[in-house]
Amino acid sequence: MQKRIPEGKKYVSFYITENVRSSIQMLIEITDLPKTRIYNKAYQYFLEKRDQTIDPRILIKKRTDPQYIRRDVLETDYIKMEYYLKMKELSEKNKCSVACVIYAALVEYITIFSMRIVR
């Protein structure tokens, strides 16, 4: 059975860390927003900011590197096509996958949002 993809969206799968998953769960509980809404806010924030730099540790592919970030929690999402295309462009520029860009966007959004809560 084939998935029905909503018009104007792209189905993506990517891996995140357990810490990111629990942080997202915390945001869901605090904001009462669905996970997809939080993801979209993270994508939008990352793509609209001036400095779209991806942390070099996220770009590490060699699993034996001590700085490698092990992401082993599979997530899926329907991402707006315009966001996907911009992320694809960023991934090509950084010589990484779209999944790396998505992970970077989520980590940055969680960090920024958490700092707002603490204040």
Side-chain angles (χ1 to χ4, degrees):
M1 188 170 142
Q2 194 172 7
K3 285 191 180 284
R4 186 177 138 0
I5 300 172
E7 193 171 325
K9 300 216 174 182
K10 171 99 173 140
Y11 182 75
V12 293
S13 61
F14 51 92
Y15 285 92
I16 60 175
T17 63
E18 185 59 45
N19 285 342
V20 169
R21 179 166 63 175
S22 60
S23 295
I24 290 168
Q25 190 58 43
M26 179 196 68
L27 290 178
I28 290 168
E29 291 169 13
I30 291 170
T31 62
D32 204 28
L33 293 172
K35 182 169 57 174
T36 54
R37 188 90 177 267
I38 291 171
Y39 282 1
N40 279 320
K41 286 179 174 283
Y43 305 149
Q44 182 180 11
Y45 174 80
F46 190 79
L47 293 171
E48 288 179 353
K49 69 185 186 113
R50 199 173 296 204
D51 179 21
Q52 297 172 330
T53 306
I54 297 174
D55 186 313
R57 292 174 295 175
I58 294 173
L59 300 173
I60 296 172
K61 295 177 184 173
K62 194 173 181 181
R63 293 176 187 247
T64 56
D65 189 311
Q67 295 281 313
Y68 176 76
I69 300 171
R70 186 168 196 82
R71 297 173 287 204
D72 44 11
V73 177
L74 179 63
E75 285 290 311
T76 59
D77 190 24
Y78 290 101
I79 185 171
K80 292 179 184 177
M81 191 57 80
E82 66 179 279
Y83 291 169
Y84 177 79
L85 293 174
K86 288 177 184 177
M87 287 183 175
K88 181 93 173 136
E89 194 176 298
L90 271 172
S91 72
E92 290 168 359
K93 182 177 155 188
N94 287 284
K95 297 180 178 83
C96 66
S97 66
V98 173
C100 282
V101 178
I102 291 172
Y103 180 74
L106 291 172
V107 168
E108 189 158 329
Y109 186 74
I110 289 166
T111 304
I112 297 299
F113 198 91
S114 298
M115 286 191 304
R116 288 181 185 166
I117 293 171
V118 173
R119 288 184 185 174

